Amino acid sequence: MPRTPFSPAFWRSPLRGPWFTSVLGVVLLGGITVLFLTGLLSYAAYNPDLSPVNDKTPDKGILGFYLFSWPTDPHWLYRLNQGVHVTLGVTLIPVLLAKLWSVVPKLFTLPPARSLAHALERVSLLLLVGGALFEFVTGVLNVQLDYVFPGSFYPLHFYGAWVFFSAFVVHAVLKTPAALRNLRRLPEEQAESTSPGELVSPDPAEPTVSRRGALGLVGGGSLLLLATTAGQNVDGPLRRTALLAPHGGAEPGTGPGGFQINKTAAYAGIDAAETGEEAWRLVVAGRTGTVRLSRSELAGLPLYSAALPIACVEGWSTSDQWWRGVRLRDLAALVGYEDPPDVLVESLQRHGAFRRAALRANQVADPRSLLALFVNGEDLTPDHGHPARVIVPAAPGVLNTKWVARMTFGGEL
């Protein structure tokens, strides 16, 4: 009889079996749970319930139940959270691919449903496979700054994560007890006792590698991806090993402005004529009215310094840079606020996401939150936000608005 994918004998690898699949499944059980939790925390860091300009996932409904005021301490909090999220996601890719390979015969099992429980398992498996591929592919593309998918990354990844994780939870509830039982038995014992059709081929081919050897290959691939990704989140020599990071290797260039960016002034459409001393004014609005300040007038106000990194959703971060500028809470005081309120920050950038961003009152009040004029002892470069930019501890990079034009304290955000 000719073999097709719907025939158990079509799948001849002797590596497939409950023990091999269970080992991979247990690794993914812990890893994907951490990915989901760090993803929720990353979304919460945007304070999406503060203002529509921060919320790139409209109509989230009850899915916003976990949101809370994102703290400013420790100042490396977002850098750690997003570093773990992205690095772990990349590291798990070989495990995920091996797991999908190990269970692919189940996608072709006939009949499609033998019982209600079996039908539920098959549906959860289809959603799990589709959701996993969607989340990992869009995540990797975002990390590499390749926005080839239709629509915005934020809602696609957010809603995809909920679909994927819901299917993952159902599948884990159904399969974890059996997986734990399988791990207690040697693979050789399972090969003898397991009936054909349950991952074990009835007509296995000759093995070219042992199951443990295959796991070693998967683990080696994960370690290689870890070594070539993790350095983007740490300082020191390890940063040079981050070859797969969007800004792989050491920080670019030398001098005060020699650190990473995602968006240049040219890309954002910033005209040098509108950022010059004569043309540019910062508009500060609040309870007592509006104040317009030139850059030299801002530099004449009390200036403070803070050592803070820039950490982005793609998982990369800079080392701590030495920023100097006017405290946000002092700007709030200029327009009548003794207790700093929330603030809406608007950029000279006219198009694109996050040209406007809202910061919560606790972020404004932090003494390290600055409207920075200088970095590492020199004026900001155009690409780093000249004439002025926001820098806030523990905030995602997109909320540290560059080329600031207007700040509105209090009121409707």
Side-chain angles (χ1 to χ4, degrees), residues 16-105:
R16 289 191 180 94
W19 182 84
F20 185 74
T21 299
S22 296
V23 171
L24 298 171
V26 169
V27 173
L28 289 174
L29 178 64
I32 289 176
T33 301
V34 173
L35 281 181
F36 185 71
L37 293 176
T38 53
L40 292 183
L41 289 174
S42 176
Y43 183 65
Y46 284 73
N47 286 322
D49 59 334
L50 175 61
S51 170
V53 301
N54 285 16
D55 190 1
K56 304 304 177 184
T57 55
D59 304 320
K60 62 182 180 292
I62 62 172
L63 300 183
F65 70 91
Y66 56 85
L67 300 179
F68 56 92
S69 297
W70 187 252
T72 56
D73 280 310
H75 74 275
W76 39 259
L77 178 61
Y78 189 75
R79 182 185 189 183
L80 173 65
N81 181 84
Q82 203 59 17
V84 169
H85 182 76
V86 171
T87 302
L88 178 60
V90 172
T91 302
L92 285 178
I93 288 175
V95 183
L96 175 68
L97 294 177
K99 170 71 173 178
L100 294 179
W101 173 85
S102 73
V103 299
V104 70

Side-chain angles (χ1 to χ4, degrees), residues 12-358:
R12 300 193 63 203
S13 173
L15 296 180
R16 289 191 180 94
W19 182 84
F20 185 74
T21 299
S22 296
V23 171
L24 298 171
V26 169
V27 173
L28 289 174
L29 178 64
I32 289 176
T33 301
V34 173
L35 281 181
F36 185 71
L37 293 176
T38 53
L40 292 183
L41 289 174
S42 176
Y43 183 65
Y46 284 73
N47 286 322
D49 59 334
L50 175 61
S51 170
V53 301
N54 285 16
D55 190 1
K56 304 304 177 184
T57 55
D59 304 320
K60 62 182 180 292
I62 62 172
L63 300 183
F65 70 91
Y66 56 85
L67 300 179
F68 56 92
S69 297
W70 187 252
T72 56
D73 280 310
H75 74 275
W76 39 259
L77 178 61
Y78 189 75
R79 182 185 189 183
L80 173 65
N81 181 84
Q82 203 59 17
V84 169
H85 182 76
V86 171
T87 302
L88 178 60
V90 172
T91 302
L92 285 178
I93 288 175
V95 183
L96 175 68
L97 294 177
K99 170 71 173 178
L100 294 179
W101 173 85
S102 73
V103 299
V104 70
K106 285 197 168 190
L107 298 178
F108 296 90
T109 300
L110 293 176
R114 296 190 298 267
S115 64
L116 180 61
H118 185 242
L120 183 61
E121 179 189 344
R122 293 297 298 276
V123 171
S124 72
L125 184 62
L126 289 174
L127 290 175
L128 188 67
V129 172
L133 292 175
F134 180 83
E135 286 299 288
F136 276 80
V137 169
T138 56
V140 169
L141 289 174
N142 182 68
V143 166
Q144 294 301 325
L145 309 177
D146 291 329
Y147 304 112
V148 297
F149 39 79
S152 170
F153 167 77
Y154 297 95
L156 288 174
H157 205 66
F158 177 82
Y159 291 118
W162 277 105
V163 172
F164 167 54
F165 195 72
S166 298
F168 177 76
V169 169
V170 171
H171 192 76
V173 169
L174 292 173
K175 304 302 291 183
T176 297
L180 295 178
R181 288 195 300 271
N182 289 331
L183 290 177
R184 297 189 188 103
R185 303 165 64 191
L186 294 175
E188 292 78 8
E189 296 174 353
Q190 292 179 2
E192 295 173 358
S193 63
T194 304
S195 60
E198 186 62 24
L199 299 180
V200 178
S201 174
D203 183 23
E206 287 297 321
T208 57
V209 65
S210 68
R211 288 187 176 91
R212 289 186 173 87
L215 288 177
L217 181 64
V218 173
S222 290
L223 288 176
L224 179 62
L225 291 176
L226 174 66
T228 53
T229 304
Q232 64 181 333
N233 306 299
V234 297
D235 299 332
L238 190 59
R239 185 174 288 268
R240 296 183 179 275
T241 69
L243 303 178
L244 297 184
H247 298 287
E251 293 180 312
T254 58
F259 56 96
Q260 292 96 333
I261 57 170
N262 269 2
K263 190 181 300 180
T264 65
Y267 177 87
I270 304 301
D271 188 344
E274 62 185 337
T275 60
E277 180 65 28
E278 296 300 322
W280 182 83
R281 295 293 183 272
L282 173 69
V283 179
V284 184
R287 178 187 296 159
T288 58
T290 300
V291 176
R292 295 172 59 88
L293 298 167
S294 68
R295 194 173 190 280
S296 59
E297 288 172 329
L298 282 169
L301 297 175
L303 300 182
Y304 298 87
S305 298
L308 299 172
I310 296 174
C312 282
V313 68
E314 297 90 5
W316 66 268
S317 62
T318 72
S319 55
D320 286 355
Q321 308 298 319
W322 195 252
W323 307 92
R324 187 163 178 81
V326 182
R327 286 175 174 171
L328 298 188
R329 67 184 189 185
D330 291 345
L331 292 173
L334 289 178
V335 288
Y337 293 99
E338 186 174 334
D339 294 323
D342 305 333
V343 63
L344 176 66
V345 184
E346 300 177 69
S347 174
L348 289 173
Q349 179 184 341
R350 294 173 179 83
H351 304 286
F354 296 105
R355 62 187 182 87
R356 297 188 298 162

